């Protein structure tokens, strides 16, 4: 067992966790934050992307104990964030959401980028999203959605 203290979506969490509990399972099963999705379980698809201490990370690759002292933001927090809300609305308006499975991870990767670079180039945007796989949109509606927020 490990004792961890962290902030998740601005809320202080103080818990004992099993040594082998992954961050994604902690978020989904312990905190009931089910917006974060598990796709591949090996860090290849990006569906489980969250922001930890300002950087996008695959929550399937981290143990909850490794997050002691960290600040974690999940897709559930985006509706409280002005840029996050704009991103969510643009994805709906411009068809960046199809089946929706990859969407939380794509939104979180985009939010992490925009937090450090509010005016990314096309190349920077593509680089930030290279770890997020989408099988439905062909990526163009996702890029269109993000660019709509950048122009606003």
């Amino acid at each position: 067992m490990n004792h961890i203290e962290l902030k998740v979506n601005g809320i202080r969490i103080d818990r004992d966790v099993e040594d082998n509990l992954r961050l994604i399972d902690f978020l989904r099963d312990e905190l009931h934050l089910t917006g974060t999705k598990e796709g591949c379980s090996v860090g290849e698809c990006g569906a489980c992307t969250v922001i930890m201490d300002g950087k996008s990370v695959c929550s399937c690759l981290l143990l909850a104990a490794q997050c002691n002292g960290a600040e974690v933001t999940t897709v559930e927090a985006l509706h409280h964030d002005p840029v996050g809300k704009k991103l969510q609305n643009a994805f709906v308006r411009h068809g960046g959401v199809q089946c929706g499975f990859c969407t939380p991870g794509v939104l979180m990767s985009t939010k992490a980028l925009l937090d450090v670079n509010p005016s990314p180039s096309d190349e920077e945007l593509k680089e930030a999203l290279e770890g997020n796989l989408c099988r439905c949109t062909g990526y163009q509606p996702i890029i269109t959605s993000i660019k709509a927020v950048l122009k606003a």
Side-chain angles (χ1 to χ4, degrees):
M1 280 293 229
N2 287 290
H3 184 79
I4 61 171
E5 294 179 22
L6 69 158
K7 275 190 178 177
V8 178
N9 297 337
I11 299 169
R12 188 173 176 273
I13 307 293
D14 190 345
R15 297 265 174 99
D16 289 324
V17 296
E18 295 292 331
D19 295 342
N20 63 347
L21 182 67
R22 298 177 305 160
L23 177 58
I24 188 170
D25 300 318
F26 179 70
L27 295 171
R28 292 181 57 82
D29 301 339
E30 305 270 332
L31 302 182
H32 308 290
L33 297 170
T34 57
T36 303
K37 306 299 182 209
E38 182 167 12
C40 68
S41 305
V42 294
E44 292 290 328
C45 74
C48 69
T49 301
V50 297
I51 299 172
M52 186 169 89
D53 296 333
K55 295 184 169 92
S56 61
V57 298
C58 290
S59 62
C60 73
L61 296 179
L62 290 171
L63 295 174
Q66 291 175 288
C67 303
N68 187 37
E71 188 158 339
V72 175
T73 305
T74 70
V75 71
E76 284 87 355
L78 288 187
H79 75 279
H80 294 297
D81 179 88
V83 173
K85 193 164 188 71
K86 286 178 186 176
L87 282 169
Q88 289 174 320
N89 290 334
F91 269 62
V92 171
R93 200 169 43 255
H94 296 283
V97 176
Q98 297 264 319
C99 82
F101 196 82
C102 71
T103 306
V106 171
L107 287 168
M108 297 311 290
S109 291
T110 304
K111 176 71 170 95
L113 170 65
L114 296 181
D115 283 348
V116 297
N117 183 358
S119 300
S121 67
D122 288 353
E123 192 58 40
E124 290 168 323
L125 182 56
K126 289 177 184 175
E127 185 177 315
L129 295 176
E130 70 185 6
N132 297 91
L133 301 180
C134 175
R135 300 181 73 170
C136 299
T137 69
Y139 297 98
Q140 195 52 52
I142 291 170
I143 300 295
T144 300
S145 301
I146 297 167
K147 285 187 172 187
V149 172
L150 297 177
K151 292 177 187 174

